[in-house]
Amino acid sequence: MSTTLAGVAVDAEGFLLHPEDWTEALAAEIARGAGIDELTPRHWLVVRFMRHRYLATGTAPTIRTLGKASGVEMKELYQLFPKGPAKIAAKIGGIPKPRGCI
Amino acid sequence: MKHIVILGAGTAGTIMANRLTRLLTREVRSGALDITIVDRDDQHLYQPGLLFIPFGIYERRDIVRSRHATLPHHVRLLYGEIDRVDTQGSAVVLTDGRALGYDVLIVATGARTLPGETAGLTGHGWYENAFDFFSLEGAEALRTRLDAFPGGRLVVNVMDMPIKCPVAPLEFAFLADWFFTKKGMRDKVQLTYATPLDAAFTRPVAAARLAHLLAEKDIELVTEFNVGSVDGTAQRMRGWDDRELAYDLLVTVPLHGGASFVGRSQAMGDDFDFVRTHKYTLQALAAENIFAIGDATDLPTSKAGSVAHFESEVLAPNIARFLHGVPLAHDFDGHANCFVETGHDKALLIDFNYDTEPLPGDFPFAGSPLPLLEESRLAHQAKRALRWVYWNLLLPGHAVPGLSPQLSMAGKHAAPVETHTFPDPRAPQTKRGGAVK
Ligand SMILES: Cc1cc2nc3c(=O)[nH]c(=O)nc-3n(C[C@H](O)[C@H](O)[C@H](O)COP(=O)(O)OP(=O)(O)OC[C@H]3O[C@@H](n4cnc5c(N)ncnc54)[C@H](O)[C@@H]3O)c2cc1C
């Protein structure tokens, strides 16, 4: 099941199917769809961390990795992304949904 | 003389010691190769048995054996606490100062629980109204508490992934339903399953099936619950999103991490001390002569004994290839195979790998009596037989009839698979390794 967002293929939950389709403008649009009107530098720190990690390791980081290694504390992560930091930051960063592994 | 050192004499380390001794018999017998395995104690714990301790089905003596009894004569078993690995100098350092040089190192030190990393969890109420069952002490303490439980809200919870055997907490919830029904007090117990995932399980088809089973058994499902802190006095968990969950009895699966020495060894571990490992060859990313297997790795598959078994079928020949200077095979596919105990003498089987999620069908091929993702009595009997299979087939490193190391699609009903085309940076360059002599 897939649809498109601004001409780019996404899965049923709105995660990009092809991370290489990602642009900063697209990120802002996905963020608005997730109820985040403006991406602040703190948001960007988290989104870029997610994306870099995924590109380097092939796995999307979980919330625990974010809390430990992104440089943003857990409390603030939830203030920035109230609907779930790892999931929403992955969506905005154009990478697959973190599955927390099996 | 070449030295193989295996760290950890649990499931994976023991299987490797047995397989390598057989595969490299000539070298081992002639003294050209020696194998040393290190562990901190002589108690090999059959961990899948921990699930049954709280319900009085197994006792300590049913699930603990001496490590000596599980290892071949030619392998030297050394007791000690591993302090770190000098990955560049190819030496293991123990906390008492002893050093062990190696030509090949196999890291099989598993995963450990970290209850202290959740604020408040091990404070007031720990082992009184809040327990884990992933340790022998926790499982035994919980047994006493379950026996005396007068009723109320029992919350089964997973702190975060990854955990060993991700189906174990679901199995606990199913068995609790059966346990209290059998005692004639199910109506006095409210069962809740709280998970950080957005569904009952990590992959969609199995998640839907398991959510249905939870509903059938009247077990409430709370999703995306990420615990920030536990208040053992008020008997409440608080999520990072400020949701609260009250309990009379909490059965939790604490956060997991790898062995701490991994974090002290240069370039070896990830943020949680799991060994960064090549997905298909099982070579550690830290150095060419280091390999990892079992729960100790950072691989995106289950932390399960079945996985360690499948990995060993790839890793043993790869170690032989490495010693003989032949290219490694990229043969591991993430294969996992788990029986999920669902209570009332039934269980269901799931079979999956890196790319294929658990699917319905028959196992191991169409028309076989063992259904996939469906409850059956046969699966329950197989799960109970697992203890015998573990000591007598798995640990000695024998092939298990009907189980191949790679996942087979025979008998599976394929669902539409969502794929993405972005290249995996760790994808195999070549598919086949060199022949093993
Ligand atoms: C409740 C429960 C139920 C389970 N059910 C199933 C199931 O049904 N099916 C299934 O396939 N799997 C199941 N598992 C998972 C399975 O038990 C593990 O995946 C398996 O045991 C992993 O093997 P391992 O060798 O990687 O780690 P382990 O068997 O844990 O071995 C690691 C060893 O390393 C040693 N060690 C660690 N650090 C050090 C150090 N610093 N110094 C010295 N020694 C050290 C430890 O003492 C230990 O002996 C279950 C697990 C649990 C907890």
Side-chain angles (χ1 to χ4, degrees), chain A residues 63-81:
Chain A
I63 175 71
R64 210 175 143 209
T65 312
L66 279 184
K68 196 141 183 166
S70 71
V72 179
E73 296 268 316
M74 208 65 127
K75 201 81 215 158
E76 190 187 345
L77 283 168
Y78 271 90
Q79 284 156 5
L80 293 169
F81 306 93

Side-chain angles (χ1 to χ4, degrees), chain A residues 1-2 11-13 16-20 49 53-59 62-65 68-69 74-75 78 82-84 87 96-97 99-102, chain B residues 114 117 160-163 166 197-198 201-203 224 226 240-242 255-257 271-272 299-303 352 354 418-422 424-426:
Chain A
M1 238 185 303
S2 66
D11 71 9
E13 289 181 80
L16 257 59
L17 286 185
H18 313 290
E20 65 275 25
F49 175 86
R53 266 298 168 96
Y54 175 76
L55 295 182
T57 65
T59 339
T62 63
I63 175 71
R64 210 175 143 209
T65 312
K68 196 141 183 166
M74 208 65 127
K75 201 81 215 158
Y78 271 90
K83 288 181 190 158
K87 194 166 154 178
K97 178 168 144 187
R99 289 195 296 194
C101 276
I102 192 114
Chain B
L114 306 164
E117 287 207 0
D160 204 355
M161 305 300 285
I163 61 169
L197 300 172
D198 63 0
F201 195 58
T202 48
R203 311 241 186 141
E224 295 187 79
N226 282 283
W240 286 109
D241 60 1
D242 290 334
L255 294 171
H256 279 46
D271 301 323
F272 305 111
L299 297 181
T301 186
S302 270
K303 297 203 178 298
F352 55 97
Y354 288 144
E418 256 176 28
T419 55
H420 65 89
T421 52
F422 191 73
D424 184 332
R426 297 192 199 169

Side-chain angles (χ1 to χ4, degrees), chain B residues 224-425:
Chain B
E224 295 187 79
F225 193 72
N226 282 283
V227 178
S229 60
V230 178
D231 181 342
T233 310
Q235 303 191 179
R236 258 200 309 262
M237 290 195 287
R238 177 184 273 266
W240 286 109
D241 60 1
D242 290 334
R243 274 188 290 168
E244 289 200 345
L245 202 56
Y247 59 82
D248 296 298
L249 177 55
L250 172 65
V251 176
T252 187
V253 179
L255 294 171
H256 279 46
S260 59
F261 77 84
V262 173
R264 293 189 292 270
S265 306
Q266 201 196 347
M268 197 184 255
D270 70 3
D271 301 323
F272 305 111
D273 299 336
F274 291 114
V275 179
R276 297 187 306 125
T277 308
H278 191 287
K279 252 174 119 170
Y280 305 103
T281 64
L282 304 176
Q283 192 172 39
L285 303 187
E288 268 201 334
N289 61 344
I290 303 180
F291 297 82
I293 181 169
D295 295 353
T297 76
D298 71 340
L299 297 181
T301 186
S302 270
K303 297 203 178 298
S306 64
V307 173
H309 166 78
F310 296 134
E311 287 172 332
S312 74
E313 296 194 38
V314 173
L315 184 55
N318 263 355
I319 301 264
R321 288 186 185 98
F322 180 81
L323 286 169
H324 298 146
V326 174
L328 303 181
H330 291 68
D331 280 347
F332 186 59
D333 68 350
H335 191 189
N337 180 287
C338 302
F339 288 101
V340 185
E341 192 71 10
T342 55
H344 304 279
D345 296 336
K346 287 185 184 162
L348 63 81
L349 176 64
I350 57 177
D351 191 54
F352 55 97
N353 70 8
Y354 288 144
D355 304 315
T356 307
E357 65 170 312
L359 295 171
D362 307 324
F363 189 83
F365 42 76
S368 304
L370 200 52
L372 287 163
L373 264 182
E374 279 297 332
E375 286 184 284
S376 72
R377 283 183 190 277
L378 186 58
H380 166 75
Q381 284 153 8
K383 175 109 185 178
R384 285 304 171 81
L386 203 62
R387 187 163 57 120
W388 186 91
V389 170
Y390 183 83
W391 298 114
N392 296 289
L393 292 178
L394 284 188
L395 287 189
H398 296 306
V400 177
L403 275 188
S404 60
Q406 283 77 28
L407 178 114
S408 156
M409 284 306 285
K412 294 194 172 63
H413 307 322
V417 195
E418 256 176 28
T419 55
H420 65 89
T421 52
F422 191 73
D424 184 332

Side-chain angles (χ1 to χ4, degrees), chain B residues 120-241:
Chain B
L121 181 59
T122 53
H124 190 265
W126 184 234
Y127 285 9
E128 281 163 34
N129 50 41
F131 300 83
D132 76 306
F133 65 98
F134 274 40
S135 66
L136 196 47
E137 308 72 59
E140 287 181 335
L142 177 55
R143 175 183 182 167
T144 311
R145 185 73 185 92
L146 271 187
D147 261 338
F149 191 55
R153 189 183 203 189
L154 195 174
V155 175
V156 182
N157 141 269
V158 178
M159 286 297 174
D160 204 355
M161 305 300 285
I163 61 169
K164 299 191 233 198
C165 195
V167 294
L170 278 165
E171 295 181 278
F172 187 93
F174 294 144
L175 285 176
D177 165 68
W178 160 80
F179 180 81
F180 290 117
T181 304
K182 203 186 55 168
K183 283 183 90 173
M185 56 179 289
R186 180 64 181 89
D187 55 334
K188 296 201 182 69
V189 181
Q190 191 192 340
L191 283 172
T192 298
Y193 185 80
T195 169
L197 300 172
D198 63 0
F201 195 58
T202 48
R203 311 241 186 141
V205 178
R209 181 71 202 124
L210 291 164
H212 184 75
L213 273 178
L214 287 172
E216 232 171 57
K217 296 174 193 295
D218 197 21
I219 302 167
E220 178 196 14
L221 175 63
V222 176
T223 57
E224 295 187 79
F225 193 72
N226 282 283
V227 178
S229 60
V230 178
D231 181 342
T233 310
Q235 303 191 179
R236 258 200 309 262
M237 290 195 287
R238 177 184 273 266
W240 286 109
D241 60 1

